[in-house]
Amino acid sequence: MPDLNYLWAPPAPVSLPVRGTSARFPVNRLFFVGRNYQAHAREMGTSVDKTTMRPVYFTKFAAMLAESGSSAPYPPETRDYHHEMELVVALGEDGFRVPPEQAAKLIYGYACGLDMTRRDLQAAAKAKGNPWDVAKNVESGAVASEIVPAQGRVLERGEISLRLNGEVRQQGDLADMIWTIPEIIADLSTYYHLRAGDLIYTGTPEGVGPVQVGDLLEGRIEGVGSLSFRIDPAE
């Protein structure tokens, strides 16, 4: 096969560190679950009935990923940029139409994550019935810590919290998720051929709110680890 002649150098692969090894986790796609904690759904003015509803998903480009410990400018075109602390599931195997009882085998490990959101743009788009890609798909708007290997292990409980400049803003438990990790993997796999390297952000507990220039975000998930992220001045 002849060497490909690119017009310019392709972007470097997106990856995350893996705890306990010098190898890195190659990131494929970023999936996000919306409204997976009832208290957060209520604070957003809605509710979720698991008996009649399925999970809601959105995506972000892998290029939007930022590593824990980094910083990024306050993004343009918003005056209401919000934090959302989440558990991230890192997939290590492929799967399509996976039954819930077999979903755990796809799990490589876990990470702490932040889903950053231009809330004002999201609200305006929702009010008009428009897509809200620009509200979510923000440069450096998906933050992740190192991946913690946990092959096939399903996290069912554990404290999840976020501090803003040292003050607790979000606090909940993974047990409060409406859809469990196996249920999410199984349902998402009916829409997509899931691949090793995919990351699934599993939703945020209540307490989401705005950040300002200079703010330091520090998140923690019991049994997984922690992350940090700082908001730099706008460009």
Side-chain angles (χ1 to χ4, degrees), residues 25 88-93 106-111 147 197-200:
F25 181 91
V88 181
V89 182
L91 301 188
E93 292 190 18
L106 271 65
I107 299 171
Y108 173 80
Y110 297 95
I147 304 292
D198 288 343
L199 299 181
I200 306 173

Side-chain angles (χ1 to χ4, degrees), residues 11-199:
V14 178
S15 65
L16 289 170
V18 178
R19 182 180 297 175
T21 176
S22 60
R24 292 182 68 89
F25 181 91
V27 176
N28 187 26
R29 295 171 294 186
L30 308 182
F31 295 104
F32 294 76
V33 183
R35 301 194 303 265
N36 199 27
Y37 288 77
Q38 199 67 258
H40 171 60
R42 287 194 295 267
E43 75 178 350
M44 298 305 294
T46 186
S47 63
V48 176
D49 181 358
K50 186 177 180 179
T51 64
T52 61
M53 301 170 68
R54 293 176 68 177
V56 173
Y57 305 105
F58 58 92
T59 63
K60 299 187 182 189
F61 303 147
M64 303 305 185
L65 192 65
E67 284 191 34
S68 173
S70 65
S71 63
Y74 193 96
E77 299 299 323
T78 181
R79 295 184 178 180
D80 196 21
Y81 195 41
H82 278 210
H83 58 74
E84 300 185 19
M85 180 67 191
E86 313 204 2
L87 172 70
V88 181
V89 182
L91 301 188
E93 292 190 18
D94 301 350
F96 180 57
R97 295 176 180 161
V98 181
E101 60 272 17
Q102 297 179 22
K105 70 179 183 180
L106 271 65
I107 299 171
Y108 173 80
Y110 297 95
C112 301
L114 282 172
D115 166 23
M116 304 299 294
T117 305
R118 293 172 169 127
R119 190 70 72 202
D120 45 357
L121 300 193
Q122 185 186 37
K126 285 182 176 180
K128 296 179 180 179
N130 291 336
W132 28 277
D133 298 62
V134 295
K136 286 289 190 177
N137 202 16
V138 183
E139 292 171 335
S140 298
V143 184
S145 69
E146 64 179 359
I147 304 292
V148 180
Q151 253 97 2
R153 183 164 62 92
V154 175
L155 295 184
E156 297 179 341
R157 62 190 68 254
E159 184 183 55
I160 176 172
S161 62
L162 179 80
R163 292 178 179 269
L164 179 65
N165 300 326
E167 296 184 8
V168 176
R169 292 298 176 89
Q170 291 187 260
Q171 192 164 31
D173 196 282
L174 301 179
D176 297 329
M177 288 196 294
I178 298 169
W179 284 281
T180 66
I181 292 168
E183 289 171 334
I184 291 169
I185 292 173
D187 188 70
L188 188 59
S189 76
T190 66
Y191 295 103
Y192 299 96
H193 290 76
L194 298 178
R195 304 297 188 195
D198 288 343
L199 299 181

